Amino acid sequence: MDSCLKGKNALITGASSGIGKGIAIALAKEGVNIIVASRNPDPNVIKQIQSLGVMATSLSIDVSKESQITKMFNNAIKKISILDLFINNVASHWDEPVTKITTKNWFKVINTNLTSCILACKEASRLMIAQKTGNILIIGSTATWNPLAGESTYRISKVGVRSYMETLAVELAPFGIRVNLLTPGGFNTPMLDKLDPRLKNQTVKREIPLKRLGNTEELGPSAILLLSDKLSPYTTGSELVVDGGLKLRPLPIFSNNELIKMNS
C-alpha cells in the first residue's frame, strides 16, 4: 500500500547508526528526503540514503544543549522548505546502581533523552503549527516495562518521554498534527553492544518470546505506518511496541549476590 510519503522531508536525530539509521533508510525507500542530525554524522550513511534517490544531508548537533537544538531546526529549514516529519530518536544510556547515582551522569542521560526531546519537539511543534502540517514520532523503550538493575536513570527518562508524548499529542491535535510513540525492545544496535554482554547474548534472547533480537530495518514499516497520514490518519497519542514480546517478561540478569555487591 502506498504510504503517500514520497517527496516529504524528515529530520531524524541520532540517525547515523542503529534504530535512527534503520528508520531513515526505510523512509528514504518511500521517497522521503532525510536530514540526519547527530553528534558524529557518518558520511557513508548519507551516501547510502542518497543512493535511494532522495536528498540526504547531515547536521552535526549535540541535542543535550538547548542552543544546538535551536540551531538544528534553523539549519534544517534552510535546507528544506517544509519540515513534514520529525523523528526524535537520539538516546544515551549510562548504568549506575541506585546507591551510586551521580548528578553528572543523571543529567547526562536526562538531558539527552528527556530534556532534548521536550525542547526539540517544542521547536518542531512551532514550525508545524505555522506550516499547518506535520507529524512527530518519538522513539521509546521497553525499559518502561522491564526494570533492569543499574538502569534507573535511563528508565526514568523513557517513562518521562512516554508521558510527554501523550500531552504533546493532546495539545497539537487541534492543529491536525499527529504525535505517536514507537517503542523498540531488544534490537541489534551499538547501544546494546555497550551494555552487560549477558543482556544481549543470554537473557534477552531467552526472555523474548520470538527468541531473537530484532534488526533495525524491522522497525521501518512501523515508523512508516505511524508517520503516514494515509495509513494512520486517525492515530495520535498512541504507542506501537515492536519488541518480539519482550515487554511481557522480566529481565533477571543479576543474582541477589550481584545486587548486594553492586550497592555495597
Side-chain angles (χ1 to χ4, degrees):
M1 183 180 291
D2 184 5
S3 66
C4 291
L5 289 174
K6 185 176 182 179
K8 292 189 179 295
N9 303 312
L11 171 61
I12 310 176
T13 61
S16 283
S17 64
I19 288 169
K21 176 184 174 182
I23 292 174
I25 291 172
L27 290 175
K29 289 179 179 178
E30 294 294 307
V32 177
N33 300 312
I34 306 292
I35 297 180
V36 172
S38 174
R39 286 183 181 177
N40 301 297
D42 185 346
N44 292 323
V45 173
I46 299 302
K47 291 178 181 178
Q48 185 177 357
I49 296 171
Q50 290 173 338
S51 71
L52 297 170
V54 298
M55 183 280 288
T57 187
S58 63
L59 296 174
S60 180
I61 297 293
D62 180 356
V63 296
S64 67
K65 299 176 181 178
E66 184 173 5
S67 61
Q68 293 209 22
I69 291 176
T70 303
K71 177 183 175 183
M72 174 177 70
F73 282 94
N74 288 338
N75 289 343
I77 290 302
K78 290 178 182 178
K79 297 177 182 292
I80 53 176
S81 58
I82 293 178
L83 177 62
D84 300 290
L85 313 171
F86 175 59
I87 297 91
N88 191 94
N89 163 75
V90 70
S92 175
H93 197 291
W94 190 270
D95 285 359
E96 289 178 321
V98 292
T99 56
K100 299 176 183 177
I101 292 174
T102 61
T103 53
K104 175 184 176 181
N105 291 320
W106 163 265
F107 285 116
K108 175 184 176 182
V109 174
I110 293 298
N111 287 344
T112 302
N113 297 2
L114 180 55
T115 305
S116 73
C117 177
I118 293 171
L119 296 177
C121 289
K122 177 183 73 172
E123 297 298 327
S125 298
R126 287 174 170 174
L127 284 173
M128 292 176 179
I129 288 171
Q131 296 170 173
K132 297 181 172 52
T133 184
N135 284 312
I136 295 174
L137 180 63
I138 298 172
I139 307 303
S141 171
T142 48
T144 56
W145 284 287
N146 306 122
L148 177 64
E151 204 178 52
S152 56
T153 302
Y154 177 77
R155 188 175 194 231
I156 288 168
S157 73
K158 287 300 185 177
V159 169
V161 161
R162 185 179 188 277
S163 297
Y164 170 69
M165 177 276 298
E166 294 174 336
T167 301
L168 187 65
V170 168
E171 293 193 24
L172 295 186
F175 300 97
I177 299 167
R178 298 186 299 105
V179 183
N180 290 289
L181 189 73
L182 176 59
T183 298
F187 277 76
N188 278 306
T189 64
M191 179 182 287
L192 187 60
D193 290 336
K194 296 176 182 178
L195 304 182
D196 189 309
R198 289 176 295 180
L199 190 61
K200 177 177 180 178
N201 300 328
Q202 301 172 27
T203 307
V204 170
K205 288 182 180 179
R206 183 181 68 240
E207 297 298 332
I208 293 175
L210 291 185
K211 301 302 179 186
R212 66 176 179 86
L213 294 170
N215 296 311
T216 54
E217 59 266 24
E218 292 178 291
L219 281 168
S222 298
I224 291 167
L225 171 67
L226 293 174
L227 288 166
S228 169
D229 285 334
K230 180 176 182 180
L231 301 180
S232 298
Y234 199 54
T235 302
T236 195
S238 294
E239 179 175 17
L240 176 55
V241 181
V242 184
D243 69 342
L246 179 61
K247 76 181 182 69
L248 306 172
R249 308 294 184 106
L251 292 175
I253 74 171
F254 297 102
S255 67
N256 281 346
N257 287 337
E258 285 178 298
L259 293 176
I260 291 170
K261 184 178 180 180
M262 184 184 296
N263 287 289
S264 299

